[in-house]
Amino acid sequence: YYIMKRLIAYFSFGMMILFPVFSQAQKATKVKVAEDAFVQGGETATEALGATISDRLRIQKSDGNDKYSRSTYLKFAFDAQKDFSSAVLNLCLKVNASKNDVDAQFSLDVYSSENEAWDEASITFEKCPAIQDLMGQTTLAPNENNDWVQIELNAETLKKLIKANQGTVTLVLYNKDFNQTSAEVISKERKWQNGAPAKREAFVELK
């Protein structure tokens, strides 16, 4: 009976140690976007749309240079000491259908940027950082409402960027294969018609 009680005590103690460690390892961390803005070519190439149109983030024909060429910049402040094995970008967005082909899908690429020297109140198409590493990509069908989508990011490349930039990382939402579709992401400044904050800003989930 004494030996049995000791075994039960050892087993219970071991579970108390192991279970919290396991739970902590599985717990996801959400990092919300710190700054967000879109840039646009054409006559607005020198305009800081993050200041004048702060409630929306547009993506369309990103490799062009006319007024329909738009990319979105997202800046995140990560914990440089945080370890993770997977990273998923979460966006609440609407995809606008092509007038020529209602079945056409929107191609969305996620890139890192060549530097983090920008802010949402002053970034422009003319002076935005160039795209660098491809971090993830997806194709999306048109949708009527703002839906959440998840894009798997290259976790190892993200770790290197976090380390190199003391935690600050920019992700660029980019559309190369233009087919008359476009997308609009809800920004952190978006409010509903009643004035309440939308609280649908982009975030990265780390595990």
Side-chain angles (χ1 to χ4, degrees), residues 24-47:
Q24 186 177 8
Q26 297 299 312
K27 187 177 180 181
T29 299
K30 292 183 179 180
V31 182
K32 293 183 179 181
V33 66
E35 296 195 63
D36 55 12
F38 82 96
V39 297
Q40 181 174 281
E43 61 267 28
T44 55
T46 59
E47 184 178 343

Side-chain angles (χ1 to χ4, degrees), residues 8 15 30 58 81 97 122 153 163 174:
I8 292 173
M15 289 297 291
K30 292 183 179 180
R58 293 172 171 171
Q81 305 303 316
S122 63
L153 302 176
K163 184 177 180 180
Y174 207 84

Side-chain angles (χ1 to χ4, degrees), residues 12-191:
S12 300
F13 181 73
M15 289 297 291
M16 290 173 63
I17 295 174
L18 291 174
F19 186 73
V21 172
F22 177 80
S23 300
Q24 186 177 8
Q26 297 299 312
K27 187 177 180 181
T29 299
K30 292 183 179 180
V31 182
K32 293 183 179 181
V33 66
E35 296 195 63
D36 55 12
F38 82 96
V39 297
Q40 181 174 281
E43 61 267 28
T44 55
T46 59
E47 184 178 343
L49 299 174
T52 60
I53 312 178
S54 63
D55 63 339
R56 61 190 64 194
L57 304 167
R58 293 172 171 171
I59 313 128
Q60 177 183 0
K61 195 183 178 183
S62 302
D63 53 353
N65 56 20
D66 60 22
K67 66 179 180 179
Y68 300 108
S69 301
R70 301 155 176 162
S71 303
T72 286
Y73 283 73
L74 307 174
K75 184 180 288 188
F76 296 88
F78 293 97
D79 179 355
Q81 305 303 316
K82 171 72 177 178
D83 191 25
F84 56 90
S85 58
S86 70
V88 178
L89 175 63
N90 291 257
L91 305 169
C92 191
L93 59 75
K94 180 180 179 180
V95 174
N96 301 305
S98 166
K99 294 180 180 179
N100 301 325
D101 181 5
V102 294
D103 295 321
Q105 296 207 337
F106 180 73
S107 174
L108 177 59
D109 295 333
V110 182
Y111 287 90
S112 63
S113 70
E114 65 176 358
N115 65 65
E116 319 306 322
W118 66 275
D119 63 76
E120 62 186 5
S122 63
I123 187 172
T124 66
F125 184 90
E126 191 175 79
K127 295 184 178 181
C128 61
I131 58 173
Q132 196 167 35
D133 298 315
L134 180 64
M135 301 293 291
Q137 55 189 167
T138 189
T139 54
L140 302 167
N143 58 330
E144 294 296 327
N145 302 307
N146 293 300
D147 296 328
W148 283 102
V149 300
Q150 291 77 39
I151 305 171
E152 187 78 29
L153 302 176
N154 186 315
E156 292 306 312
T157 302
L158 181 58
K159 285 181 182 180
K160 293 176 182 177
L161 292 169
I162 292 172
K163 184 177 180 180
N165 300 305
Q166 291 78 50
T168 302
V169 175
T170 295
L171 297 177
V172 187
L173 308 182
Y174 207 84
N175 170 237
K176 277 186 177 179
D177 302 319
F178 182 58
N179 57 2
Q180 306 298 319
T181 59
S182 63
E184 186 172 304
V185 178
I186 290 183
S187 75
K188 62 183 178 62
E189 288 82 15
R190 176 73 67 88
K191 294 182 179 179

